[in-house]
């Protein structure tokens, strides 16, 4: 048994640090005396040394040593089956490049492997890289090749569906294995559900997954529940989305996937303490995933600490450039900081990655409206309406843009009425209709609309707007009750607090004046709340430069 055999045994045993030290010493000896080891032995040493570097996450060094091994392989007169596979070495190089975000280099290495020699994992990596690079036809070909070799590769199925390959075509590629294994009778329904999802048909996708979830053998599956929660979220049903995320989390306390959306929804609903706890728990599970960073970023964003939200969103993107929620977080922070053009870039990238998620389009439309680009916003809203059909969400988005132009107010009203006819409980449509009625000073009609919407759900914004309408008709006592309910749902809702304080001042002007005088005296030597101050912005600006965000 020679020394190379010992290195091979240690590598097989997973003794990576030991392999690294010994192989480094042996390679130095070989460089000083080329006759010491044969070309095949030096090839093996380079591969085992590179494997140890890869394990230590020194990916640039590992890629270099793997490339040196391939150069060494070229001088071998014949290849022994006992030697490390050249194809496997190329895959490892591509893996290093992918981690280093050198996607073009990774594609170049894998493209150099003849098609007939590509293993399923090589085709899967190529498919993902092609899709990321926008080479959709090549991605489809590679995903299909994965399924040809491994017909139960479900992530490859999702990849094909995301590239608009018809569900029936994808299902046909798995039909033989479904028919041969009785316990897989659910798979065709599963494919149908994800086909609806990637086609943007959220309601049919929800119904299909619910039918799967009811089957006893697939009940209480965390992955299915996360998919269901995400679909409810996309359909604008926040209540059911949160419920399903909670169920999934209870089933799997170490769950990370989808928790960024859950954290975002909780933050949006004003449950910031719960969001902080969730973020801390996920950091304890893994800080190498984007999700905990996004959750913490959402907590900062809804605490109006935008520079910190920006930093956390950028950190999440650094960990996962395909994180839609991270892109949306960073885009929203940039928009609220007045950096609208930078925000637009992030919302567009989110749209490219998730063309069926309406919140990506909404973020972009908000940016256009913020920069007086009503024409661009109208074009985008019309395109969504035509592409995804006339549902409550698309009708409301189009109405939102129409409300910005006095010439299209009537059209906005018609669109909102259609949206509410489809879904009387759709909060965004209710809010926009209330805004329109407020402009027209139709307060009684607005009160009826809001009471109807609140009959089966409780929402901070709706309670607050109802409070505003009740003030307008001089019903101060109930207005105060509505503001109180709104603040109980979201203690950080500034507008509800302002409404309540305004009413208190009107009820006791003398006391209010005295309190203002005291406040002025107390605040005369203070700099105010530092949470959104220039000092914090400067601090996080330094962090942004560190992470290459400027």
């Amino acid at each position: 048994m020679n020394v190379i055999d010992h290195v091979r045994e240690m590598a097989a045993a997973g003794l990576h640090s030991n392999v690294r030290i010994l192989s480094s010493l042996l390679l130095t000896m070989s460089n000083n005396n080329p006759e010491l080891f044969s070309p095949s032995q030096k090839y093996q040493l380079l591969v085992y040394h590179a494997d140890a570097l890869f394990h230590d996450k020194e990916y640039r060094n590992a890629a270099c040593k793997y490339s040196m091994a391939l150069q060494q392989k070229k001088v071998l007169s014949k290849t022994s089956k006992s030697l490390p596979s050249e194809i496997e070495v190329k895959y490892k190089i591509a893996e290093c490049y992918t981690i280093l975000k050198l996607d073009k280099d990774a594609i170049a290495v894998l493209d150099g492997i003849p098609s007939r020699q590509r293993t399923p994992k090589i085709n899967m990596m190529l498919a993902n890289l092609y899709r990321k690079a926008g080479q959709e036809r090549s991605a489809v070909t590679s995903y299909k090749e994965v399924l040809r070799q491994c017909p139960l590769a479900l992530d490859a199925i999702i990849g094909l569906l995301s590239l608009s390959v018809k569900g029936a075509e994808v299902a046909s590629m798995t039909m033989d294995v479904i028919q041969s294994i009785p316990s897989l009778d659910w798979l065709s329904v599963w494919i149908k559900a994800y086909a609806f999802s990637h086609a943007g048909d959220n309601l049919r996708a929800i119904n299909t997954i619910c039918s799967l979830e009811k089957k006893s053998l697939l009940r209480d599956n965390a992955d299915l529940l996360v998919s269901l929660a995400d679909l409810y979220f996309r359909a604008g049903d926040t209540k059911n989305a949160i419920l399903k995320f909670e169920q999934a989390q209870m089933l799997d306390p170490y769950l990370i996937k989808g928790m960024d959306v859950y954290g975002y929804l909780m933050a949006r609903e004003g449950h910031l303490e719960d969001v902080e706890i969730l973020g801390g728990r996920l950091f304890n599970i893994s800080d190498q995933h984007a999700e905990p960073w996004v959750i913490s970023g959402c907590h900062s964003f809804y605490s109006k600490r935008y520079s910190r939200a920006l930093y956390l969103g950028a950190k999440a993107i650094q960990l996962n450039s395909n994180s839609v929620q991270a892109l949306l977080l960073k885009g929203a922070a940039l928009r609220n900081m007045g950096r609208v053009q930078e925000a637009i870039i992030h919302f567009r990238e989110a749209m490219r990655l998730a063309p069926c998620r309406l919140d990506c389009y909404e973020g972009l439309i908000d940016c256009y409206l913020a920069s007086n680009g009503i024409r661009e916003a109208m074009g985008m809203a019309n395109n969504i309406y035509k592409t995804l059909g006339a549902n409550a969400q698309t009708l409301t988005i189009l109405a939102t843009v129409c409300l910005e132009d006095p010439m299209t107010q009537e059209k906005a009203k018609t669109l909102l009425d259609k949206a509410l006819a489809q879904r009387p409980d759709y909060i965004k449509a209710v809010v926009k209709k209330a805004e329109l009625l407020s402009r027209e000073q139709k307060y009684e009609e607005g009160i009826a609309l809001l009471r109807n919407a609140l009959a089966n759900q409780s929402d901070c914004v709706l309670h607050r707007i109802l409070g505003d309408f009740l003030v307008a008709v001089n019903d101060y006592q109930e207005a105060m009750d509505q503001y109180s309910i709104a603040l109980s749902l979201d203690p950080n809702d500034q507008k509800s607090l302002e409404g309540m304080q305004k009413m208190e001042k009107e009820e006791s002007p003398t006391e209010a004046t005295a309190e203002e005088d005291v406040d002025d005296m107390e605040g005369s030597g203070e700099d105010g709340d530092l949470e959104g101050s220039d000092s914090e912005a400067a601090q996080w600006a330094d962090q942004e430069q560190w992470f290459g965000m400027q």
Side-chain angles (χ1 to χ4, degrees):
M1 187 172 179
N2 60 38
V3 68
I4 307 298
D5 293 330
H6 282 284
V7 175
R8 185 189 303 114
E9 280 195 355
M10 286 194 295
L15 300 175
H16 304 291
S17 61
N18 301 274
V19 169
R20 177 174 180 167
I21 296 169
L22 181 57
S23 60
S24 173
L25 294 168
L26 295 175
L27 284 167
T28 302
M29 291 170 61
S30 175
N31 291 336
N32 290 323
N33 180 5
E35 303 298 321
L36 193 60
F37 297 114
S38 68
S40 66
Q41 288 177 320
K42 189 172 181 183
Y43 167 68
Q44 291 177 77
L45 278 175
L46 284 164
V47 172
Y48 296 138
H49 187 61
D51 285 344
L53 291 167
F54 185 92
H55 184 267
D56 284 346
K57 299 182 179 179
E58 295 184 28
Y59 302 114
R60 287 187 187 277
N61 199 356
C64 175
K65 296 300 187 293
Y66 283 128
S67 297
M68 288 170 65
L70 289 179
Q71 289 299 317
Q72 183 67 32
K73 184 79 158 48
K74 289 178 181 178
V75 305
L76 300 183
S77 55
K78 60 179 182 177
T79 302
S80 168
K81 288 185 178 179
S82 64
L83 294 181
S85 160
E86 183 179 348
I87 303 298
E88 185 64 24
V89 171
K90 288 182 177 178
Y91 177 81
K92 281 288 189 182
I93 293 174
E95 210 169 9
C96 290
Y97 286 150
T98 302
I99 293 167
L100 294 166
K101 297 182 170 55
L102 301 171
D103 291 351
K104 287 183 180 178
D105 294 329
I107 289 172
V109 170
L110 297 178
D111 269 342
I113 301 172
S115 299
R116 65 183 181 279
Q117 293 180 16
R118 293 176 190 170
T119 61
K121 71 176 180 180
I122 288 172
N123 278 311
M124 190 70 190
M125 184 186 281
L126 258 178
N128 290 333
L129 287 166
Y130 283 141
R131 182 173 65 169
K132 192 175 174 184
Q135 298 173 241
E136 295 190 359
R137 185 175 295 179
S138 297
V140 166
T141 301
S142 294
Y143 279 131
K144 285 183 175 179
E145 191 57 30
V146 174
L147 277 183
R148 188 186 67 78
Q149 295 170 292
C150 301
L152 293 180
L154 300 190
D155 201 29
I157 288 174
I158 290 174
L160 283 171
L161 294 171
S162 73
L163 293 168
S164 302
V165 178
K166 298 293 184 186
E169 183 183 349
V170 176
S172 69
M173 300 178 73
T174 64
M175 198 54 66
D176 289 345
V177 71
I178 290 174
Q179 291 175 345
S180 63
I181 304 175
S183 59
L184 291 178
D185 57 344
W186 52 268
L187 185 54
S188 57
V189 181
W190 185 91
I191 294 171
K192 187 189 294 185
Y194 283 91
F196 286 141
S197 172
H198 286 286
D201 194 340
N202 296 320
L203 295 179
R204 289 173 79 182
I206 287 168
N207 291 334
T208 309
I209 289 185
C210 283
S211 72
L212 266 179
E213 231 269 311
K214 286 173 185 173
K215 290 188 175 182
S216 57
L217 292 178
L218 288 176
R219 188 176 295 132
D220 295 337
N221 176 269
D223 284 334
L224 275 181
L225 284 168
V226 167
S227 295
L228 193 53
D230 193 55
L231 285 164
Y232 277 124
F233 159 61
R234 294 187 193 194
D237 188 343
T238 300
K239 183 180 176 182
N240 273 316
I242 289 175
L243 179 65
K244 294 301 175 184
F245 276 129
E246 286 173 349
Q247 288 176 6
Q249 190 181 219
M250 287 173 66
L251 283 167
D252 183 358
Y254 297 102
L255 185 67
I256 292 178
K257 181 184 176 183
M259 291 295 102
D260 50 351
V261 177
Y262 176 48
Y264 160 68
L265 288 175
M266 296 286 281
R268 197 178 72 183
E269 293 294 298
H271 307 306
L272 293 183
E273 286 185 17
D274 294 332
V275 173
E276 192 169 17
I277 293 167
L278 176 66
R281 192 169 61 76
L282 259 70
F283 271 121
N284 286 331
I285 296 169
S286 171
D287 62 358
Q288 295 303 303
H289 286 75
E291 284 83 351
W293 297 90
V294 171
I295 291 167
S296 290
C298 288
H299 182 276
S300 295
F301 182 85
Y302 283 95
S303 301
K304 296 183 171 58
R305 298 162 70 187
Y306 302 125
S307 56
R308 187 167 192 269
L310 175 63
Y311 157 70
L312 292 165
K315 175 63 178 175
I317 293 168
Q318 194 178 55
L319 290 167
N320 180 6
S321 59
N322 290 330
S323 171
V324 174
Q325 211 59 44
L327 287 162
L328 292 175
L329 169 64
K330 193 177 174 190
L334 286 165
R335 180 193 62 212
N336 284 23
M337 293 169 73
R339 294 158 63 177
V340 177
Q341 293 308 311
E342 293 172 74
I344 285 172
I345 293 168
H346 288 78
F347 285 123
R348 281 180 176 161
E349 177 61 10
M351 274 171 49
R352 187 185 72 79
L353 291 169
C356 292
R357 276 189 59 168
L358 286 173
D359 50 343
C360 302
Y361 299 93
E362 287 174 326
L364 191 55
I365 287 170
D366 285 346
C367 286
Y368 287 144
L369 294 176
S371 55
N372 295 317
I374 293 180
R375 182 180 295 179
E376 293 90 340
M378 187 64 78
M380 177 65 68
N382 274 313
N383 184 48
I384 299 165
Y385 179 76
K386 289 173 184 174
T387 306
L388 300 178
N391 59 53
Q393 291 165 284
T394 58
L395 287 161
T396 304
I397 289 171
L398 187 53
T400 300
V401 181
C402 289
L403 281 171
E404 296 296 316
D405 186 348
M407 301 295 291
T408 52
Q409 298 287 298
E410 281 303 313
K411 184 179 179 183
K413 185 177 181 180
T414 303
L415 291 166
L416 290 170
D417 286 343
K418 285 182 180 178
L420 290 167
Q422 285 188 25
R423 283 182 59 185
D425 61 338
Y426 185 47
I427 290 173
K428 287 184 180 180
V430 175
V431 169
K432 288 298 171 184
K433 180 67 183 291
E435 182 184 322
L436 188 58
L437 292 171
S438 179
R439 289 183 191 180
E440 297 172 344
Q441 298 185 349
K442 296 180 179 177
Y443 301 118
E444 294 292 351
E445 190 177 335
I447 289 168
L449 170 75
L450 291 160
R451 288 196 196 284
N452 184 54
L454 286 166
N456 298 310
Q457 62 186 330
S458 193
D459 177 80
C460 168
V461 176
L462 296 185
H463 282 292
R464 184 228 301 153
I465 297 173
L466 180 54
D468 294 342
F469 275 58
L470 289 163
V471 168
V473 297
N474 302 320
D475 191 344
Y476 299 116
Q477 183 56 53
E478 195 187 348
M480 186 68 83
D481 293 342
Q482 293 299 326
Y483 289 137
S484 297
I485 296 169
L487 285 168
S488 71
L489 293 168
D490 181 2
N492 297 294
D493 186 54
Q494 195 63 32
K495 290 183 179 178
S496 294
L497 195 60
E498 288 169 4
M500 186 176 280
Q501 289 171 344
K502 186 179 178 182
M503 286 183 60
E504 287 172 348
K505 286 177 183 178
E506 287 176 357
E507 286 179 3
S508 52
T510 308
E511 288 177 24
T513 305
E515 285 174 13
E516 283 174 12
D517 291 341
V518 172
D519 288 341
D520 288 342
M521 290 172 64
E522 288 178 350
S524 59
E526 299 288 336
D527 290 325
D529 184 6
L530 292 175
E531 282 202 334
S533 69
D534 291 340
S535 62
E536 187 202 40
Q539 173 195 349
W540 291 106
D542 291 341
Q543 295 277 20
E544 290 167 28
Q545 287 180 336
W546 178 259
F547 281 97
M549 292 182 285
Q550 295 287 11

